[in-house]
Amino acid sequence: MTNLADPSRAWVYLDSASGQPLHPSARDAILSALDQGYADPRRLHDSGRRARLLLDNARAAVAQCLDVRPDEVSFTSSGTDAVHRGLLGLRRGRLRVGTTIAHSAVEHSAVLEAIRWADVRSIGFAVDRAGLVDLAAAQAALAAETEPVAVAAVQLANPEVGCVQPIEAIADALGNVPLFMDAAAATGTLPWPGGWQVAAASAHKWGGPAGVGVLVVRKGARWRDPFPADDRAEPRVSGFENVPSVLGAAAALQAVQAEHSELSRRHTQLSAQLRDELASIPDLELVSSARPEPGSALPGLVAFSCLYVDGEALVGGLDRRGFGVASGSACTSSALSPSHVLEAMGVLTQGNLRVSFGRDTQPDDVARFARALREVLDELRSGLGLDL
Amino acid sequence: MNDTGAVELDCRGLRCPLPVIELARRLPDLPLGAMIVVVADDRAARVDIPAWCRMRGQEYAGESIAADGTPTYAVRRLS
């Protein structure tokens, strides 16, 4: 890609956690399906059967990648939609038991907004400085509830800081309370654990197209559609599937899983390289793990915060130098409040950046990024009159 | 000075990262062991002032509330 401000300079995209460029496998699958998958998969004619076949192939492929049954997989219109349906449907299936929703303090806004929309009592599980759910505190919070908790929502990996929750241990601590797992940040990178009843993911996070979410409802889970549908036969989702995009999502997931161990190894090295660079920058706090064990963190994500600078100025300065990164600082959000994830962890929120690597990121990109970051920080801090 | 003898730093209306910058500017003027109280309505200050203390080796001495309801954050100079 080229830099819009200076076409001669290579643009380095370091925001794969927000959305990946389309995987080449997805592009091929989408293009071939555009001409084949236009019909209504429920119609009993040749074109309909062809669309149905493509959809069922995609479902089988995704089910195999996620190690679930094909009839447990539905395709939604986005990851957010999958989260809303998954969590609220699990709650609806438990209405006779209770209405309260428990969640970790670091859930994605799609989970928090679903709870707000449901307008029910909620309890938040505190997290430690690493962003991990405190199991003892979670159990104490559940025990303190006088009404039964309907459902709990815990993400597999956090999209802002990359920590991976101990889902199976959390499921044990929850006892009879069913668990909704938001796996959007981790799917394609980490295998799914057990212990959950309903899970959701988002195709553009693994290199599929935007506009495709995956909702998995385990057989036997008490899940009821929380939203109105139409007279279509497909359970759990509403509307006409985007068959070509669904096929692209499935092709991308198969491809990234095949590349996974090699990519994880490279991303682990790039993360270590970046952390080494950051260690020599003053007044900087690493907010992703400093020494991640395999499987305990997303391998290709490094998050940190810098004293005395605003996140928007950092993002802008790096953008002008040809690097695309995300920030969770207050100054980069419309709400003027810092990321609830950083707040819940109790880490520095100002000057926050999240660097997330793609399939093509090279060690030289990381070295050049670190140089650009030093320049931008020096520029922003030099005028402050601080003795640093 | 406020009634506890601590220096007060009025950061009302200042947005992140300005309250922390003001604190970093002002603290070196105080003797070791002295207390400064940052009055800040910016939400990020609640996390960022304790984080600044942790990163800069100063003591975070807790949150309170000013007479007008604005949160205050006490910091003791250690180094």
Side-chain angles (χ1 to χ4, degrees), chain A residues 44 54 104 113 126 140 156 163 179 184 213-214 300 324 360 366 375-376 382:
Chain A
L44 301 174
L54 293 175
S104 90
E113 290 299 325
L156 177 49
C163 62
L179 177 62
V214 172
D360 303 328
V366 174
E375 284 171 25
V376 176
S382 64

Side-chain angles (χ1 to χ4, degrees), chain A residues 229-246:
Chain A
D230 54 17
D231 63 358
R232 304 173 68 82
E234 184 75 11
R236 302 194 285 259
V237 296
S238 63
F240 198 113
E241 288 93 351
N242 183 344
V243 174
S245 284
V246 163

